[in-house]
Amino acid sequence: MSSENEKPSEEPEQLALIRETVRKAKVPRAKPRTWRGAALAKELPVARVVVNKGVLHLDQFFDYAVPEELDEAARPGVRVRVRFGAGAHQVKNGRREGGRLIDGFLVERRATSDYSGPLAALADVVSPEPVLGPELLGLARAVADRYAGSLADVLQLAVPPRSAAAERRPSPEPLPPPDAPEPGSWTRYDQGPAFLDALAHGGAPRAVWNALPGPHWAEEIARAVAATLASGRGALVLVPDGRAADRVDTALTTVLGEGRHVLLTAEAGPEKRYARWLAVRRGAVRAVVGTRAAMFAPVRDLGLVVVWDDGDGSHSEPHAPQPHAREVLLLRAAHDRCAFLLGSTSCTVEAAQLVESGWARALTAGRELVRAAAPLIRTVGDGELARDEAARAARLPSLAWQAVREGLKTGPVLVQVPRRGYVPRLACERCRAPARCRHCAGPLEAPEQRELRCGWCGRGAPDWHCVECGANRLRAQVVGARRTAEELGRAFPAVPVRTSGRDHVLDTVPGRPALVVSTPGAEPVAEGGYAAALLLDGWAMLGRPDLRAGEEALRRWIDAASLVRGQPEGGTVVVVAEPTLRPVQALVRWDPVGHARRELAERAELGFPPVSRMAAVTGPPEAVEDFLTAAALPPDAEVLGPVPLPVVRPGGARRPGDPPPGEQWDRALVRVPPGSGAALAAALKQARASRLARGGGDPVRVRVDPPDIG
């Protein structure tokens, strides 16, 4: 075992040491059996291994000797078991001592090692199935560097657990490429047919697609995949959840037929999912649709990667190093030089930046088609609502009741209510604008009803007033979906009321009159579309304590409104929020792209992501301070904070990244320009590795590009 950075020695003496070590060794292979030492492999006797130990100070390859009896099975890409740890090289009385058996991947066979001492031998080859190819290894390395993580942690996400039964079964024979599909509903977009034609002829176009409302997006993705397969290449589609995956799976089956694609989701179970993954790895299947974990799927001859609804939080991996699916597919598109399609009915700031930078082109429809496909959007302040003096303060103004009554005459009505987790830190009581710090624009908060302070830089704000309306009173209150369903049930006793949320998510509902109360993201699809929709408590959506409050609210509203019939069919959406706010106006105009562009321009002025890169450092106060002092941050780095995190009470609900119950932790944000992002990640990784190398563990947690920046 050795680091790849050790000084090499002369080859004959080194090989003699390796052969002598292997000859004398008696290494446990699998209890209660043992294998006796054998001669060294004659060709390429050194195996370079990445071990499944995701600590940063061990983020490197290690060299092992290949016994002759494992020579044939020890191929690059296979799973192996090796002795690792203190004393892994010690031999006493002909028996190996020290170290413990751990799993790893063999990444390369070499003639010599850079290590000058004796090498430990491979203990076993777990499976002869090569599961880690050079493309996947390169991608994992790039993701680890991008997020200041270890290669072993990324490989834990990229390669699913082994199933011996799945490996024994042969994968099906690959089918011939299909014919290039007709454009279908892609003709609704200005450059839609040209995009499909470029895919079918082996091109690599890159596009940000603002999809029209309605049910056609899944079929349009399927046609893009079919065009890519027609060119003899593979395709990968990522969607945020299982419901969206099922829709794309159905559309792909309709367009491609059976056997040309696989569905990679957790619902399939470990064995079936691994068998499908192997079919992709072996080249039997060229098209994959799946959720976040499928972002590393080893598709051969990758020609197209697709991300649907990249603003959904489900695309962000909670396990170390916590990569985002959009960024991983951007890396794949760059490394494999394949086509890239980012699609959504809304538009994130990151998507707008891709277009503004010229890296991708916008794929949109004309305004006439948008107006025909989108429902009528009404807000507080419209027409007859202006005569309702209490409308702005009422949770269900008269216009909302009227929209429900009219909609129930022809079909179901959707009512979207922010889930209980959408409690904002603080917002203006009058206009619901988020309360932000004058110094750094961070979110203001009042922990345990104490004085106002910034959640980023920690500065106090005793004389705060709203920059939008001048008021100086704050509020934070949300009414949940269950109570809303009870109120609507009493108001419409003859109408069935159905709920869809975290505990029970509906996939579809009949086209009959009914009230469907849903939390954001759990809206079921109605047969024939909803007749109307109410978007309640908009101020709570806009008051979320992060930079994405407006973007996320608009995305949730557009996702729900896309399920409503178009304006020519009488579809109506009422949003209960301050009509002058930018996200509300973008919804009225159905212009998410324009909203994202304006957000991007403002963030550029303030130095906020994605124009800048940020990292969050959390841990005990002393540890965070020591970490930031020791880290060799780039010269242009700016440290915001640290500030105390809310203390989690024992027995209370915890989220990923929360401190242990009852402990006080701090969080600091480190901000750099985009050109220094790689240097920041490297500095943070080196600082953590140095602390871990000293032993005793390290409570400091680092996350690059945290999704919950306030």
Side-chain angles (χ1 to χ4, degrees), residues 122-152:
L122 291 179
D124 197 7
V125 174
V126 177
S127 166
E129 183 78 40
V131 294
L132 181 61
E135 297 85 1
L136 184 55
L137 178 63
L139 174 65
R141 179 75 271 170
V143 172
D145 293 342
R146 166 73 168 73
Y147 287 94
S150 70
L151 177 62

Side-chain angles (χ1 to χ4, degrees), residues 349 352-353 356 595-604 610-611:
V349 177
Q353 186 185 41
E356 177 131 341
H595 178 271
R597 289 173 179 167
R598 286 186 288 273
E599 282 280 311
L600 181 62
E602 287 191 356
R603 294 191 191 185
V611 179

Side-chain angles (χ1 to χ4, degrees), residues 384-544:
E384 63 189 67
L385 198 57
R387 299 190 294 270
D388 184 359
E389 296 181 357
R392 294 179 182 270
R395 184 164 184 262
L396 287 173
S398 58
L399 179 62
W401 293 109
Q402 179 184 348
V404 172
R405 285 193 296 266
E406 293 297 322
L408 289 173
K409 295 178 181 179
T410 58
V413 174
L414 176 65
V415 182
Q416 185 194 74
V417 182
R419 57 173 63 95
R420 297 181 186 275
Y422 271 71
V423 179
R425 287 177 182 168
L426 289 172
C428 175
E429 185 180 52
R430 181 187 299 172
C431 70
R432 311 297 192 263
R436 294 199 169 273
C437 172
R438 295 179 181 176
H439 173 72
C440 68
L444 295 182
E445 54 187 21
E448 300 179 4
Q449 305 302 316
R450 294 197 295 267
E451 64 178 11
L452 280 176
R453 64 171 176 77
C454 176
W456 281 13
C457 64
R459 286 178 168 82
D463 57 346
W464 176 88
H465 65 273
C466 179
V467 296
E468 300 291 340
C469 66
N472 59 1
R473 296 179 64 87
L474 300 165
R475 66 176 295 172
Q477 180 181 1
V478 176
V479 178
R482 185 172 300 177
R483 178 177 172 182
T484 302
E486 294 173 355
E487 294 175 353
L488 292 174
R490 289 193 295 268
F492 299 93
V495 179
V497 180
R498 308 187 68 180
T499 59
S500 180
R502 179 180 300 177
D503 298 331
H504 179 61
V505 178
L506 300 174
D507 189 27
T508 60
V509 294
R512 300 186 298 271
L515 286 165
V516 181
V517 182
S518 172
T519 52
E523 300 90 352
V525 177
E527 298 177 2
Y530 289 99
L534 300 183
L535 309 176
L536 301 182
D537 298 335
W539 65 270
M541 298 278 284
L542 295 169
R544 292 187 64 190

Side-chain angles (χ1 to χ4, degrees), residues 35 37 98 166 194 271 286 293 317 336 444 571 578-579 589 658 685 690:
W35 65 274
E271 182 177 334
R286 292 289 187 91
E317 173 62 54
D336 296 336
L444 295 182
E578 175 59 43
R589 297 190 306 271
D658 282 344
K685 180 176 179 177
S690 299

Side-chain angles (χ1 to χ4, degrees), residues 2-67:
S2 74
S3 167
E4 63 178 347
N5 298 321
E6 295 286 345
K7 182 179 179 180
S9 63
E10 295 183 2
E11 179 177 335
E13 180 182 356
Q14 180 189 47
L15 287 179
L17 285 170
I18 296 174
R19 297 180 189 280
E20 181 67 15
T21 301
V22 174
R23 186 183 66 80
K24 294 181 177 180
K26 293 182 179 180
V27 181
R29 183 181 183 186
K31 295 181 179 180
R33 298 180 301 160
T34 60
W35 65 274
R36 298 183 180 275
L40 196 66
K42 294 181 179 179
E43 295 184 1
L44 304 178
V46 177
R48 182 147 287 185
V49 176
V50 54
V51 296
N52 289 350
K53 198 171 181 66
V55 287
L56 291 179
H57 63 292
L58 299 177
D59 187 26
Q60 55 191 340
F61 296 144
F62 296 91
D63 289 349
Y64 287 83
V66 181

Side-chain angles (χ1 to χ4, degrees), residues 177-183 192-205 223-234 303-304 339:
D179 296 331
E182 295 294 327
F195 181 78
L196 258 63
D197 186 67
L199 293 176
H201 287 84
R223 291 183 181 275
V225 171
T228 306
L229 296 186
S231 69
R233 300 175 296 167
L304 171 68

